Amino acid sequence: MKSYIIHFIRHGAIDETLAGKYIGTTDVPLSDKGKMSLKKLDFECKYPGAQAVFTSPLKRCVETCKILYPEQNPLSITNLSECNFGEWEGKTADELKNDPDFEKWLAGDNEVKPPRGESNADFVRRICLMFESIVEGLMKTGTTESVIVTHGGVIMTLLAIYGMPQAKPFEWTMDNGYGYSLRVTPILWQRDKVCEVFQTIPLPKDDE
């Protein structure tokens, strides 16, 4: 039976994250170092091909697509954006340490949300609905290989929910420009809404 391969790639580096700031929907570009690192990875390693490329609309993801998939015309999807940290955007954990809601949020309270931001529960609901919609669309159109360029938080959360082997979100961490390949088998997807995570990307160039 036909299976569907989806490659998740985390966008390149931005200065704000390296400074320890919470950056969700703030639309910052890739840093110069982030662009150079992506180009180096693309030269030294092998990114998978794809019939379709989906991206978060934020600059750091769109710019990553242009570097890694210059011939593609990616489909920008708002609901692939990172969590909205509201008034916590651009602040560090040290700056927020005295905020009781921040402490609850860090402890995993799904209903607590940043002021003017998005709760963990709302974030998970949004990206899960979007991912399931993408998978269904790939099956309907017969698109057997695709790439999703998005954010670390989005990828870790989705893999913790749908990925096999099962693992917690932090166990799916990845560096900028790296990601994971998933195999979606229709029968397994329709029965259990799970997919097999079978490799990390990019691959060494000599890996066939």
Side-chain angles (χ1 to χ4, degrees):
M1 176 176 284
K2 181 186 289 186
S3 61
Y4 299 82
I5 306 300
I6 300 173
H7 308 284
F8 274 116
I9 300 173
R10 184 186 178 195
H11 64 76
I14 57 176
D15 286 331
E16 290 77 5
T17 300
L18 295 175
K21 296 178 180 179
Y22 280 94
I23 300 294
T25 54
T26 302
D27 201 8
V28 296
L30 294 176
S31 65
D32 289 340
K33 185 177 179 181
K35 292 177 184 177
M36 289 176 59
S37 295
L38 281 177
K39 290 174 182 176
K40 186 170 185 286
L41 271 175
D42 192 32
F43 178 75
E44 294 178 348
C45 302
K46 182 171 62 177
Y47 281 94
Q51 297 164 289
V53 176
F54 305 94
T55 183
S56 156
L58 299 180
K59 288 175 185 174
R60 54 197 187 267
C61 293
V62 174
E63 291 175 355
T64 298
C65 284
K66 288 180 180 177
I67 291 171
L68 300 182
Y69 295 93
E71 304 302 317
Q72 287 276 5
N73 184 24
L75 177 62
S76 176
I77 300 177
T78 300
N79 282 338
L80 287 174
S81 297
E82 183 61 283
C83 184
N84 182 353
F85 298 124
E87 293 179 10
W88 298 345
E89 292 270 345
K91 295 181 179 179
T92 65
D94 192 57
E95 290 173 314
L96 295 166
K97 64 184 178 183
N98 295 322
D99 185 326
D101 281 340
F102 179 67
E103 292 299 316
K104 292 178 186 175
W105 181 78
L106 275 185
D109 189 327
N110 283 332
E111 298 308 322
V112 172
K113 67 179 182 178
R116 302 181 186 277
E118 185 175 29
S119 70
N120 285 329
D122 288 340
F123 169 63
V124 170
R125 191 177 302 115
R126 166 170 65 81
I127 64 173
C128 285
L129 286 172
M130 190 66 256
F131 181 63
E132 291 183 15
S133 175
I134 288 174
V135 172
E136 297 300 327
L138 296 175
M139 290 182 180
K140 284 180 182 176
T141 58
T143 305
T144 56
E145 190 162 16
S146 60
V147 164
I148 299 177
V149 177
T150 184
H151 310 267
V154 174
I155 298 172
M156 291 189 295
T157 302
L158 290 176
L159 293 188
I161 292 170
Y162 299 103
M164 295 190 307
Q166 290 185 324
K168 296 185 181 301
F170 69 85
E171 296 178 278
W172 292 115
T173 55
M174 77 231 77
D175 291 332
N176 295 102
Y178 288 82
Y180 298 92
S181 298
L182 290 68
R183 180 178 291 105
V184 181
T185 305
I187 289 179
L188 193 58
W189 176 259
Q190 289 159 9
R191 188 186 69 195
D192 298 322
K193 287 287 191 294
V194 294
C195 41
E196 175 198 1
V197 184
F198 67 92
Q199 68 182 10
T200 57
I201 51 176
L203 300 169
K205 278 207 166 166
D206 58 358
D207 189 358
E208 295 300 330

